Amino acid sequence: MFKKLSERSLLELTDEEFKKFSDLIYQLSGIYLKDSKITLLSNRLRQRINERNFGSFAEYYDYIRKGEDQGEINQMLNAVSTNETYFFRSEKHFEALTEKIMPELLKKINRPIRIWCAGCSSGEEPYTVAMIMNEKNWLSHRLVEIYGSDMNTDVLDEAKKGLYDVKRLRATPDYYKDKYFKKYDQDTYKFDEQIAGYVKFFRQNLLTDSFDDLYDVIFCRNVMIYFDKPVQQKIVSKFYDAMTPGGYLMIGHSESLYFIETKFVYEKIMDAPVYHKDDSVIRKV
Ligand SMILES: C[S@@+](CC[C@H](N)C(=O)[O-])C[C@H]1O[C@@H](n2cnc3c(N)ncnc32)[C@H](O)[C@@H]1O
């Protein structure tokens, strides 16, 4: 017999349950959970179980496994993703984008440059791109289009609200803080609504959804660290196919495509590590 909710909520997943959930999460999202994440996963799933009044981890697993309730599957994925981010994170990429990459692309391409932040969490990354594009007047002249996607619907809702704890502005230069944010309450800032309106958000699972559009610049920073090599390989190939020739991929500073078979060519632009879509080279491990 299952224990009462109050007693049960103190329990952790068993090793076997952890294995079943982590396999399922891997299949659904590519997120690879090491065994050491058992307490974290127990805590996060327990919230869902309590909220939806399931009798046990096993009952919740069977329900998700059936695949009939996409809403609850999304909620489970929301609960397991890690969404840490902040404005102007790793600013070298933004400098390279404004000073070198955009001028080069604007010379070559006779339409708005399409920039996609894949795995953008609550929007700080695409909004940073929007601010720096605005400083060059590229937004108002419609020379750039900015997109942000994530599989987590909660963080996308936060992005659309545009309300940020002051901690998320810790790397934001005062000039941008004064120009693009209004104090909302003690510890919260509201991002400029007009500039926010230039960013289009959409839900997308990088592993399971197809990439139907083409982009000139793709940011996918601090996302790949949650995936193992086969999943990274698959997603990087999808990025390659979704990129216009001559485009650029930016991944996080602690990430690398070194062990991935890819046609992207590694380059440093103004000290920022970037991957260039250049058809002439295929590097193999
Ligand atoms: C740590 S945040 C990175 C945010 C931002 N790119 C940055 O560098 O600050 C990682 C994001 O990747 C998202 N993510 C993880 N797996 C995903 C998947 N399979 N498809 C789409 N997004 C995913 C998570 O929901 C999370 O918001």
Side-chain angles (χ1 to χ4, degrees):
M1 277 297 279
F2 294 128
K3 294 192 178 193
K4 279 201 305 232
L5 195 67
S6 52
E7 294 169 60
R8 206 189 55 243
S9 65
L10 297 172
L11 298 178
E12 267 199 356
L13 289 158
T14 62
D15 288 347
E16 198 190 324
E17 284 169 339
F18 174 77
K19 171 95 180 63
K20 281 168 116 181
F21 271 108
S22 53
D23 285 353
L24 186 59
I25 289 162
Y26 178 75
Q27 241 177 54
L28 293 170
S29 68
I31 295 176
Y32 175 78
L33 295 167
K34 291 193 202 116
D35 291 350
S36 58
K37 299 284 181 190
I38 188 164
T39 306
L40 180 89
L41 186 63
S42 303
N43 293 340
R44 291 185 176 184
L45 293 181
R46 195 179 297 115
Q47 280 174 17
R48 292 299 321 145
I49 287 169
N50 286 338
E51 212 162 288
R52 290 290 308 266
N53 286 321
F54 283 99
S56 65
F57 285 118
E59 196 185 304
Y60 186 61
Y61 176 82
D62 289 340
Y63 182 76
I64 292 286
R65 193 81 191 91
K66 271 197 224 146
E68 288 167 1
D69 184 348
Q70 191 56 47
E72 187 53 39
I73 293 173
N74 293 349
Q75 288 299 326
M76 182 189 73
L77 294 179
N78 287 357
V80 300
S81 65
T82 302
N83 311 109
E84 166 58 15
T85 184
Y86 50 92
F87 291 96
F88 287 91
R89 184 177 197 175
S90 309
E91 78 288 353
K92 284 195 183 345
H93 277 144
F94 301 116
E95 279 165 31
L97 179 68
T98 37
E99 299 311 319
K100 295 280 185 213
I101 294 174
M102 277 296 290
E104 177 193 311
L105 296 178
L106 283 168
K107 255 190 233 158
K108 285 199 298 205
I109 300 174
N110 194 18
R111 54 157 175 78
I113 307 303
R114 293 166 57 83
I115 302 177
W116 173 29
C117 296
C120 71
S121 187
S122 34
E124 289 85 332
E125 191 176 69
Y127 285 157
T128 301
V129 173
M131 287 186 271
I132 60 174
M133 296 292 116
N134 189 55
E135 289 300 306
K136 298 279 188 188
N137 293 320
W138 290 329
L139 280 187
S140 54
H141 288 98
R142 305 273 168 195
L143 293 176
V144 63
E145 291 173 359
I146 306 167
Y147 299 87
S149 71
D150 204 283
M151 78 171 177
N152 183 324
T153 49
D154 290 342
V155 290
L156 289 174
D157 288 344
E158 279 180 45
K160 287 173 201 159
K161 280 192 199 115
L163 287 176
Y164 294 99
D165 188 280
V166 64
K167 281 187 245 134
R168 303 298 181 95
L169 279 77
R170 60 188 180 272
T172 306
D174 284 343
Y175 169 82
Y176 287 91
K177 196 168 159 182
D178 295 343
K179 185 165 174 184
Y180 293 99
F181 294 86
K182 278 211 179 81
K183 206 157 182 188
Y184 185 78
D185 63 27
Q186 179 78 6
D187 290 323
T188 316
Y189 283 80
K190 170 95 180 140
F191 183 61
D192 185 297
E193 276 184 14
Q194 198 210 339
I195 302 301
Y198 284 105
V199 180
K200 294 185 181 60
F201 290 101
F202 59 101
R203 180 183 188 271
Q204 187 185 52
N205 184 327
L206 294 171
L207 179 69
T208 55
D209 292 333
S210 60
F211 300 174
D212 298 328
D213 291 309
L214 283 176
Y215 299 91
D216 305 300
V217 178
I218 300 175
F219 280 76
C220 186
R221 305 186 312 163
N222 309 299
V223 180
M224 229 76 93
I225 34 169
Y226 301 103
F227 304 144
D228 65 0
K229 293 289 167 225
V231 173
Q232 292 179 355
Q233 177 74 62
K234 186 168 176 195
I235 293 175
V236 169
S237 309
K238 285 166 84 176
F239 283 145
Y240 192 85
D241 293 340
M243 188 174 278
T244 51
Y248 290 91
L249 170 69
M250 324 276 202
I251 62 172
H253 283 279
S254 62
E255 298 164 317
S256 161
L257 302 188
Y258 191 74
F259 295 104
I260 301 289
E261 188 179 317
T262 180
K263 289 186 253 174
F264 279 118
V265 179
Y266 176 80
E267 279 179 24
K268 266 211 160 169
I269 301 186
M270 295 178 68
D271 242 12
V274 302
Y275 289 87
H276 194 194
K277 178 162 178 173
D278 171 321
D279 294 337
S280 60
V281 182
I282 299 181
R283 181 170 53 76
K284 287 200 173 177
V285 187

